[in-house]
């Protein structure tokens, strides 16, 4: 830790202002512009620092220029500073450059850069010196022997060489940097350089050509530098110059450019090679199996040695690019032709190339065009492509040898009702010129039939390809996959279309299209002809389905316990071979809590005569309801041992079904019968009320319940009950109150609470279960009836309730208080008595301080 503190104390001592200039000597060429940088760092004060420059030739320093004092310049430098030959150029807040334009030998010497102090304490260095050495100009750059640049006119693909001479007689050890540049617009661009370190560096865009050897920089005798360009193109057109710079290694071992010279060498013009490519014929029409003959003519202004390259293309579109087109045949500049069996390419004369396609077919129809290129030899024996052109496309139409045939469509099965089958046969007749290379396929179409004169577009049902693959339309795809629609080929010339179960949506017009396919040389099939048949109409007259249901009660009057019986007769029209399903429903009174919705589904019988209990929940009468089919259109419903809770309106809900596809039944129409009412003419028993019926045939079970809360949010507690035989049952009670339950009349029951207590409060209600005796003497239990609750509140007598507890409490408190006083007195008198001895204390006077 002490070492760290020691270092922290030393660091500020070592820190201070630092003024830097380049390490000398700086070698510069007379007549050039010199820049000497100076910078300062690790200083205090403002960020922008000022600088003073002075010069010395082994004498006292003479002031040259300052950044902050205009009177700083000495008299001998005022003229050069005033004309701007010597100036300061600030590069940043802490750096400047001393610029001396057209430096002379008298400027050779020592230059000192100083910075006025802005620091709180003087630390570091405030000036730095550098020596400048001025040498004579020994660099000379020239082009050809002529004083002015030369002009060259070349053809595209030619080669050319340019010469540049650069020599230096500098007394120092310097290196030359040679760069060839071109100006073909307004700016100069580097082509190729030989650096002062002896490295070749191609300019932007010339890297590939440099690697291929198309652009080279060669050195020759007498300090000459040659630029060699092969395969000249339009980008090589422009003015060329030679740029030479002289470099010297400084004291810090870095390379410094001391001067630069340039000279224009030549102006190069590239004449583009003209090339015209034309196909001798414009539009051609040939018949299938014949030969196609096309000739490509090329014309060029190229002289000397060259070779042509020809390539034939084919495309289905006149606007296709070469990358999208198909190459038929090609002949390169060595006259080598690519191989093909039915296509040949021959060199008729120097400028004509013939394409011959034998045994053409319809697939050869399209656009043909020819591409030609001119190649010239290079100095290394290779060939270079100088120009390339493509002819305009020529349209070729191949007329197919169409077979002659007719198409006939007939219906072998026509539906008269829904779900009847439909079968159509499409037949090829009078077929001629149908050789082995012809194949027939079929397409089926449907057109909806409208009553108006509106035109309806035909809808494709299915089509067959040349490979016999069947493609289905959206309208019938699912039905075909399910086997409802079948496509087949019955014979060589007959195609069949069958709908197993025709629906009303299938009504309309149908027609077929027979397509002839021709096989090509590559074994592919191309459609050559379509023939459409006349349409066949599938239609039958339809009427709306009607269904009538009539319910009849067989016994007009009966009482509880008897059998209820009713029949449902069904009649229908315009339904083919119908079957019926029947559902018996009951509409109960709204007071019936078993079904708040009012309608109960009792029993059903489907179209296959399968019976099913729906919402019948009376477990004591599982077999108490029966639904049976009496005749094809008559059904009978019976309900045995009827109860008062069975009262309501009974109906027959009938659904007519017709045969559907695949042996399935299709729902046609629904019907609802008239209601049949069951009314026993007996009102349900009610608490504290009388009934207008014979009480000898009716008895009741009565149960009383209590809910110990203001709201009915707790479980009810059974208090007492009496059955229909008069036996009273009471539940066990915890309090001192008592209950009594008595029947005071045939239809009235009383519950009495004796000696009410606070726990007797709450909601009290009764539940009555009626029992009805049938005509056969059997007692039947009816649904329970719950009375509205009555709230019982118990009031307390506060004075009587607290009188005895209060007297007992006061007496006990008095006895306990007297007993506590007695115990305290006895304890203090006999148990807690002790003798206390007085401690003797010494009495001494304080000794005087003087005696001490």
């Amino acid at each position: 830790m002490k070492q760290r503190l020691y270092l922290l104390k030393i660091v500020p001592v070592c820190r201070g202002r630092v003024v830097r200039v380049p390490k000398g000597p700086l070698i510069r060429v007379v007549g050039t512009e010199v820049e000497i940088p100076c910078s300062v760092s690790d200083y205090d004060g403002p960020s922008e620092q000022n600088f003073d420059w002075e010069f010395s030739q082994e004498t006292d320093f003479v002031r040259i220029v300052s950044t902050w004092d205009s009177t700083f310049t000495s008299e001998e430098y005022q003229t050069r500073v005033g004309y701007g030959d010597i100036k300061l150029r600030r590069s940043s807040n802490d750096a400047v450059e001393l610029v001396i334009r057209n430096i002379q030998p008298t400027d050779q010497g020592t230059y000192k850069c100083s910075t006025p102090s802005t620091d709180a304490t003087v630390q570091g260095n405030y000036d730095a010196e550098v020596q400048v050495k001025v040498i004579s100009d020994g660099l000379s750059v020239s082009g050809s022997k002529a004083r002015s640049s030369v002009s060259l006119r070349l053809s595209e693909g030619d080669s050319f060489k340019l010469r540049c001479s650069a020599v230096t007689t500098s007394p120092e050890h310097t290196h030359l940097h040679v760069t060839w540049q071109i100006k073909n617009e307004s700016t100069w661009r580097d082509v190729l350089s030989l650096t002062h370190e002896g490295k070749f560096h191609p300019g932007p865009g010339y890297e590939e050509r440099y690697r291929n050897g198309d652009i080279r920089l060669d050195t020759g005798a007498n300090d000459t530098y040659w630029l060699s360009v092969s395969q000249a193109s339009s980008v090589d057109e422009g003015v060329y110059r030679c740029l030479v710079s002289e470099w010297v290694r400084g004291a810090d071992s870095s390379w410094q450019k001391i001067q630069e010279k340039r000279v224009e060498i030549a102006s190069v013009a590239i004449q583009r090679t003209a090339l015209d490519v034309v196909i001798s014929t414009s539009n051609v029409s040939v018949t299938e199996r014949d030969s196609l003959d096309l000739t490509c003519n090329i014309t060029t202004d190229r002289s000397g040695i060259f070779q042509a390259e020809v390539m034939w293309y084919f495309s289905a579109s006149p606007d296709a690019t070469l990358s999208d087109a198909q190459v038929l045949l090609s002949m390169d500049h060595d006259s080598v032709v690519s191989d093909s069996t039915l296509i040949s390419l021959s060199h008729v004369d120097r400028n004509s190339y013939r394409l011959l396609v034998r045994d053409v077919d319809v697939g050869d129809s399209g656009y043909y065009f020819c591409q030609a290129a001119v190649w010239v030899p290079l100095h290394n024996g290779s060939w270079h492509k100088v120009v390339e052109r493509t002819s305009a496309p020529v349209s070729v139409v191949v007329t197919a040898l169409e077979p002659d045939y007719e198409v006939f469509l007939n219906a072998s099965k026509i539906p008269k009702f829904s779900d009847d089958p439909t079968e159509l046969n499409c037949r090829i007749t009078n077929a001629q010129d149908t050789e082995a290379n012809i194949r027939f396929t079929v397409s089926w179409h449907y057109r909806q039939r409208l009553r108006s004169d509106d035109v309806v577009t035909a809808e494709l049902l299915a089509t067959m390809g040349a490979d016999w693959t069947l493609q289905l339309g959206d309208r019938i795809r699912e039905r075909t996959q399910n086997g409802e629609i079948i496509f087949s080929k019955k014979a060589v010339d007959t195609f069949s279309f069958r709908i197993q179960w025709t629906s009303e949506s299938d009504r309309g017009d149908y027609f077929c299209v027979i397509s002839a396919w021709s096989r090509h040389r590559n074994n592919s099939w191309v459609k050559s002809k379509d023939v459409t048949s006349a349409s066949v109409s599938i239609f039958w007259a339809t009427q709306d389905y009607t269904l009538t249901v009539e319910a009849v009660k067989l016994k007009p009057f009966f009482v509880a316990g008897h059998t209820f019986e009713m029949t449902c007769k069904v009649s229908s029209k315009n339904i083919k071979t119908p079957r019926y399903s029947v559902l018996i429903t009951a509409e109960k009174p709204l007071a019936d809590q078993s079904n708040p919705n009012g309608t109960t589904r009792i029993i059903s019988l489907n179209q296959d005569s399968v019976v099913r209990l729906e919402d019948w929940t009376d477990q004591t009468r599982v077999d108490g309801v029966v639904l049976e089919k009496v005749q094809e259109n008559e059904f009978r419903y019976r309900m045995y041992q009827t109860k008062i809770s069975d009262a309501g309106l009974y109906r027959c809900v009938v659904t007519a079904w017709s045969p559907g596809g695949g042996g399935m039944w299709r729902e046609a129409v629904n019907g609802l019968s008239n209601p049949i009412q069951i009314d026993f003419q007996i009102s349900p028993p009610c608490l504290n009320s009388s009934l207008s019926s014979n009480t000898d045939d009716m008895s009741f079970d009565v149960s009383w319940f209590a809910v110990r809360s203001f709201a009915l949010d707790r479980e009810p507690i059974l208090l007492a009950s009496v059955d229909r035989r008069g036996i009273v049952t009471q539940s066990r009670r915890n309090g001192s109150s008592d209950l009594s339950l008595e029947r005071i009349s045939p239809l009235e029951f009383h519950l009495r609470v004796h000696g009410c207590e606070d726990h007797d409060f709450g909601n009290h209600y009764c539940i009555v279960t009626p029992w009805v005796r049938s005509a056969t003497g059997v007692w039947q239990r009816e649904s329970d009836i719950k009375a509205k609750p009555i709230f019982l509140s118990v009031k307390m007598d506060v004075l009587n309730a607290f009188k005895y507890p209060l007297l007992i409490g006061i007496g006990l408190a008095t006895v306990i208080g007297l007993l506590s006083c007695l115990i305290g007195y006895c304890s203090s008198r006999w148990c807690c008595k002790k003798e206390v001895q007085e401690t003797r204390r010494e009495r001494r006077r304080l000794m005087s301080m003087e005696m001490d």
Side-chain angles (χ1 to χ4, degrees), residues 88-136:
L88 286 179
R89 184 164 56 204
R90 183 179 289 276
S91 56
S92 64
N93 287 338
D94 54 2
V96 297
E97 292 178 347
L98 175 64
V99 181
I100 304 175
R101 193 162 53 188
N102 191 16
I103 193 169
Q104 297 299 318
T106 56
D107 295 325
Q108 178 174 296
T110 301
Y111 290 81
K112 182 172 68 174
C113 175
S114 305
T115 58
S117 175
T118 59
D119 304 327
T121 59
V122 178
Q123 294 177 355
N125 66 309
Y126 287 80
D127 57 61
E129 298 177 0
V130 61
Q131 183 181 1
V132 177
K133 183 179 180 180
V134 182
I135 62 175
S136 60

Side-chain angles (χ1 to χ4, degrees), residues 824-842:
Y825 175 77
C826 294
S827 298
S828 61
R829 185 67 179 173
W830 291 288
C831 297
C832 300
K833 185 176 182 181
K834 293 182 182 181
E835 294 182 1
V836 181
Q837 296 180 358
E838 184 179 356
T839 304
R840 183 179 180 183
R841 299 179 182 177
E842 288 190 32

Side-chain angles (χ1 to χ4, degrees), residues 4 121 250 264 293 338 359 447 543 608 616 632 647 717 761:
R4 294 181 180 175
T121 59
E264 291 189 3
D293 191 352
S338 57
D359 193 18
R447 185 184 297 112
Q543 296 180 354
D608 294 325
W616 184 259
E632 192 65 33
I717 300 173
F761 88 102

Side-chain angles (χ1 to χ4, degrees), residues 193-264:
S193 300
L194 176 59
T195 67
H196 53 278
E197 295 178 319
K199 298 179 181 179
F200 290 98
H201 182 70
Y206 290 91
E207 295 87 354
E208 185 66 25
R209 297 180 66 185
Y210 171 74
R211 287 192 292 267
N212 296 336
D214 295 336
I215 294 179
R216 304 190 316 276
L217 197 159
D218 303 322
T219 59
N222 300 325
D223 298 318
T224 56
Y225 299 86
W226 294 88
L227 176 65
S228 301
V229 179
S230 302
Q231 304 179 15
S233 61
S234 58
V235 297
D236 298 321
E237 187 176 64
V239 178
Y240 287 81
R241 75 178 182 183
C242 180
L243 180 66
V244 181
S245 58
E246 189 173 8
W247 294 71
V248 66
R249 190 183 293 275
D252 57 354
S253 298
S254 63
W255 287 98
Q256 301 175 5
K257 184 168 67 174
I258 59 177
Q259 69 168 326
E260 182 180 85
K261 292 185 179 181
R262 60 187 62 86
V263 61
E264 291 189 3

Side-chain angles (χ1 to χ4, degrees), residues 569-712:
K569 293 184 179 181
V570 184
S571 61
S572 62
K573 293 182 180 180
N574 305 323
I575 303 177
K576 177 185 176 182
T577 60
R579 284 191 182 181
Y580 306 104
S581 62
V582 181
L583 171 66
I584 304 299
T585 64
E587 299 178 10
K588 298 298 184 67
L590 295 179
D592 187 357
Q593 299 296 326
S594 61
N595 188 1
N597 296 327
T599 302
T600 303
R601 298 161 54 93
I602 300 177
I603 192 172
S604 64
L605 183 144
N606 65 8
Q607 66 271 17
D608 294 325
S609 300
V610 178
V611 179
R612 175 185 175 185
L613 287 176
E614 299 292 340
D615 297 334
W616 184 259
T617 58
D618 193 346
Q619 299 298 325
T620 60
R621 293 189 298 164
V622 175
D623 299 328
V625 290
V626 177
L627 179 60
E628 56 188 354
K629 186 176 182 179
V630 180
Q631 297 180 8
E632 192 65 33
N633 61 341
E634 184 177 355
F635 302 87
R636 180 167 55 201
Y637 170 67
R638 290 178 178 175
M639 182 167 56
Y640 300 98
Q641 298 180 1
T642 57
K643 299 180 180 181
I644 295 178
S645 59
D646 295 329
L649 299 177
Y650 287 75
R651 299 176 186 268
C652 295
V653 181
V654 180
T655 302
W657 301 79
S658 63
M664 305 297 292
W665 289 95
R666 181 171 58 86
E667 182 178 341
V669 66
N670 295 319
L672 184 66
S673 72
N674 55 295
I676 300 298
Q677 184 176 11
I678 296 180
D679 187 3
F680 295 99
Q681 299 297 324
I682 298 178
S683 300
C686 179
L687 188 64
N688 294 327
S689 63
S690 60
L691 295 175
S692 57
S693 64
N694 186 6
T695 57
D696 295 337
D697 295 330
M698 184 175 295
S699 182
F700 305 98
D701 292 341
V702 180
S703 300
W704 282 91
F705 295 88
V707 179
R708 305 303 186 188
S709 65
F710 293 95
L712 298 174

